[in-house]
Amino acid sequence: MTAVGVGPHPKPWPSDPRLDPVLLAEGDRRNVADRYRYWRVEAIRDDLAARARPLHVAVENLQHDFNIGSIVRTANAFGVRAVHVVGRRRWNRRGAMMTETYLDVRHHPDMEAFAGWAADEQVPIVGVDNLPGASDLRDVCLPRACVLLLGQEGPGLTETAREAAAAIASIPQVGSTRSINAGAAAAIGMWEWVRRWDRG
């Protein structure tokens, strides 16, 4: 099995303050992009925050949704500014693969609190769900600064979430299943935002 990452850095070590002396000495086997090899966690967080896109992702967490970890990992990959967990504070971090360490993950106790945050920040909420009357994601307005809101796996967006959203976007499907996994839906929504706004 091929080892992940890199071994100890050859001496003399670089003097870059972003680098972690322990990682330089012992090697860096973390699941990070090569440009962040040997960097301190705080330095990676700061760099990602400085380059984050004006896109947020939120998910209702009513039943300890296992998709949240996957959503956090994908949000990290796409350079999302923050992930918002609405409802239960606890979520399954296994699927995040430690990416939550480098990303801003915020908690809101309920949909009212989250909607208040979005209003204060002037960030429109775009729900992603295959609901009757929802607009095709390819046609719906996705502002450059916005938040994609996903519902709980299974029941989808709550009525309170639907009322808070400026628009509801559906992902076109042609198969026999009535819906796709919330983590996959979030990834498609993020990709569509990147396709429109930031291909770099």
Side-chain angles (χ1 to χ4, degrees):
M1 185 174 179
T2 304
V4 176
V6 292
H9 195 290
K11 292 188 176 182
W13 289 345
S15 59
D16 190 331
R18 296 173 298 185
L19 304 181
D20 185 323
V22 174
L23 295 174
L24 289 170
E26 299 179 0
D28 187 353
R29 303 298 182 187
R30 300 172 300 175
N31 179 28
V32 297
D34 287 343
R35 67 178 174 274
Y36 292 128
R37 288 294 172 208
Y38 305 113
W39 281 37
R40 294 179 293 105
V41 169
E42 297 80 7
I44 296 174
R45 282 183 63 93
D46 290 346
D47 189 66
L48 289 175
R51 299 187 300 107
R53 290 162 162 157
L55 173 65
H56 296 252
V57 176
V59 59
E60 291 188 283
N61 185 32
L62 308 180
Q63 302 166 358
H64 200 52
D65 195 330
F66 67 90
N67 286 286
I68 295 177
S70 174
I71 292 171
V72 168
R73 183 178 180 183
T74 304
N76 176 285
F78 281 118
V80 166
R81 186 165 301 281
V83 173
H84 302 259
V85 178
V86 182
R88 294 183 60 177
R89 181 179 294 275
R90 291 184 60 207
W91 54 276
N92 190 335
R93 285 167 167 72
R94 187 171 182 179
M97 298 289 290
M98 296 300 295
T99 53
E100 75 276 13
T101 305
Y102 311 106
L103 185 65
D104 185 6
V105 180
R106 306 179 190 179
H107 175 254
H108 305 266
D110 51 40
M111 186 52 60
E112 290 81 3
F114 170 70
W117 167 85
D120 290 344
E121 295 295 319
Q122 298 183 329
V123 179
I125 298 172
V126 177
V128 180
D129 203 343
N130 287 356
L131 296 168
S135 301
D136 190 312
L137 176 62
R138 296 169 294 185
D139 301 325
V140 76
C141 174
L142 282 181
R144 180 164 174 79
C146 69
V147 54
L148 301 177
L149 174 61
L150 285 296
Q152 180 76 42
E153 183 73 19
L157 291 171
T158 61
E159 186 63 36
T160 306
R162 298 175 201 176
E163 293 173 358
I168 305 291
S170 65
I171 297 170
Q173 298 171 206
V174 297
S176 62
T177 183
R178 64 172 293 275
S179 65
I180 59 175
N181 160 289
I188 291 168
M190 288 183 250
W191 173 252
E192 177 63 13
W193 184 95
V194 170
R195 186 189 69 80
R196 296 190 201 186
W197 287 107
D198 191 355
R199 298 190 182 205

